[in-house]
């Protein structure tokens, strides 16, 4: 495989990694938000609006965590150029 052929493959792998990390982080955020007592903040936490709020919070929190994890992975990949 030539170096030119390796570039699209590495971009594809990094894209797939980003998707998987993002989905896992959103799922972990959703799971962690299940223990949050939303009835203290909203009227009907079991209703559709309460579940939508929980989903949006999970996506936002999961996105921040995924961004941190992906940045950390990128930084560790750059360390090989240090030595």
């Amino acid at each position: 495989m030539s170096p030119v052929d390796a570039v699209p493959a590495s971009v594809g792998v990094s894209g797939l990694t980003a998707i998987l990390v993002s989905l896992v982080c959103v799922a972990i955020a959703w799971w962690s938000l299940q223990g949050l007592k939303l009835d203290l903040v909203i009227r009907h936490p079991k209703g559709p609006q309460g579940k939508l709020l929980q989903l949006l919070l999970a996506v936002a929190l999961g996105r921040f965590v995924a961004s941190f994890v992906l940045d950390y992975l990128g930084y560790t990949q750059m360390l090989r150029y240090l030595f």
Side-chain angles (χ1 to χ4, degrees):
M1 179 183 292
S2 71
V4 175
D5 294 335
V7 171
S10 99
V11 171
V13 168
S14 66
L16 183 62
T17 302
I19 290 171
L20 292 175
V21 167
S22 296
L23 288 176
V24 166
C25 288
V26 168
I28 289 171
W30 174 266
W31 174 75
S32 68
L33 287 173
Q34 297 297 313
L36 188 65
K37 291 182 67 98
L38 287 176
D39 56 344
L40 300 175
V41 180
I42 57 176
R43 286 186 212 151
H44 305 290
K46 300 291 184 192
Q49 291 172 332
K51 289 297 178 185
L52 180 62
L53 176 64
Q54 193 173 13
L55 177 67
L56 292 175
L57 286 173
V59 168
L61 182 62
R63 175 67 181 115
F64 284 124
V65 174
S67 176
F68 171 77
V69 170
L70 291 171
D71 285 344
Y72 188 80
L73 286 173
Y75 298 149
T76 58
Q77 292 294 318
M78 286 185 237
L79 283 178
R80 67 178 151 184
Y81 301 114
L82 185 62
F83 301 106

